[in-house]
Amino acid sequence: MDGEHMDGNEVNERCAYRMGSMAAKLHEAITRFVPSVDFSRPIWGEESFKVDMTKLRRYYTRFLSDQAWKTYQRASHKILSQLADLDQNPQHYGIIHGDLHIGNIVFNDEQPNPIDFGRCGYGYYLYDIANTILGLFPAQRLEFIRGYESVRTLPTDYVEVLESFFIMCIIENYSHHSSDPREASRLIDEQPYAQACIKEYLMNAPFLFNGIEVQEVT
């Protein structure tokens, strides 16, 4: 796929809107896909997240204090509880990209296109959205949602569920990189923001579209 990568600092609100529209069109196309009888892909949800938490338990001391780890565990319990209550309605659940972070989106004449479908599997469309907006600023996230809803309607209670997937994506990313000691310094540097998000999440305080006060972590 021709195009160039952008990071969160380069993406303007117009691009974010188009990214949202792109994600919605992708999901809309997927709803029309009829898999063959031998079609097999991974499932991104409760069980995969439990595997990530098990791995993170082994390596968290490389970038988290014991106190911070307990906070991560509390967040994981809330996420798993949320996932257990979700209905696998085909309007909101199906085959997803699975790794739709900003690094897997390229721009050609400001038009975004997804690449790298290696983690394509079954899951909630909100999981794809969470992966993308993780790399955006709050105002850009709002534009992404507006772009998405210009094509597909989100559930009325989507914000609460999206916040769970957002924190889930943060934890999954850290689990993935935690076993590589070369990543430790970067993970440590990201903790003030990550833990501020988790703190808001555990307090049931909306945070996706608001600025977050980042404090020193322990």
Side-chain angles (χ1 to χ4, degrees):
M1 179 69 69
D2 292 334
E4 298 180 353
H5 288 97
M6 292 185 181
D7 62 30
N9 294 318
E10 296 175 303
V11 174
N12 57 36
E13 293 181 10
R14 181 177 64 254
C15 288
Y17 183 96
R18 290 175 177 172
M19 288 166 64
S21 174
M22 174 212 72
K25 290 174 182 176
L26 177 64
H27 294 159
E28 195 66 26
I30 287 171
T31 62
R32 298 189 293 270
F33 172 68
V34 180
S36 61
V37 292
D38 59 347
F39 184 81
S40 178
R41 295 302 301 171
I43 299 172
W44 305 116
E46 291 178 74
E47 296 308 314
S48 64
F49 184 59
K50 289 177 182 177
V51 171
D52 286 322
M53 284 298 295
T54 298
K55 177 183 176 182
L56 191 56
R57 182 186 296 273
R58 294 176 56 194
Y59 297 107
Y60 78 84
T61 54
R62 292 181 173 178
F63 66 99
L64 291 175
S65 67
D66 288 340
Q67 180 180 344
W69 170 240
K70 290 178 181 178
T71 303
Y72 270 62
Q73 288 178 303
R74 288 173 56 208
S76 74
H77 292 155
K78 182 176 178 180
I79 291 165
L80 289 170
S81 176
Q82 178 87 71
L83 289 174
D85 289 339
L86 292 182
D87 178 19
Q88 292 184 359
N89 184 316
Q91 176 67 14
H92 309 300
Y93 181 94
I95 300 171
I96 60 174
H97 182 284
D99 199 20
L100 198 60
H101 59 77
I102 197 167
N104 281 336
I105 298 173
V106 294
F107 290 81
N108 190 339
D109 293 330
E110 294 193 345
Q111 294 299 325
N113 293 289
I115 61 172
D116 191 354
F117 285 75
R119 284 184 96 239
C120 174
Y122 289 93
Y124 291 93
Y125 298 134
L126 284 173
Y127 178 77
D128 266 353
I129 294 174
N131 260 303
T132 310
I133 67 171
L134 192 61
L136 301 178
F137 295 109
Q140 297 167 344
R141 294 170 189 166
L142 277 172
E143 287 305 307
F144 182 99
I145 295 298
R146 291 191 179 105
Y148 191 95
E149 291 209 290
S150 71
V151 178
R152 298 188 86 243
T153 302
L154 289 168
T156 55
D157 61 345
Y158 83 89
V159 174
E160 180 182 355
V161 181
L162 183 57
E163 287 175 345
S164 286
F165 281 122
F166 187 93
I167 300 300
M168 177 178 171
C169 289
I170 287 177
I171 295 175
E172 285 179 338
N173 287 340
Y174 291 156
S175 173
H176 176 72
H177 293 288
S178 63
S179 58
D180 186 347
R182 296 171 298 180
E183 295 280 359
S185 61
R186 179 180 66 83
L187 301 186
I188 291 170
D189 289 343
E190 292 180 3
Q191 288 314 297
Y193 177 74
Q195 292 186 38
C197 288
I198 292 172
K199 178 181 177 181
E200 297 293 298
Y201 175 65
L202 291 173
M203 293 173 60
N204 298 317
F207 64 90
L208 285 180
F209 308 113
N210 305 321
I212 291 182
E213 182 178 352
V214 177
Q215 300 178 347
E216 183 177 353
V217 300
T218 58

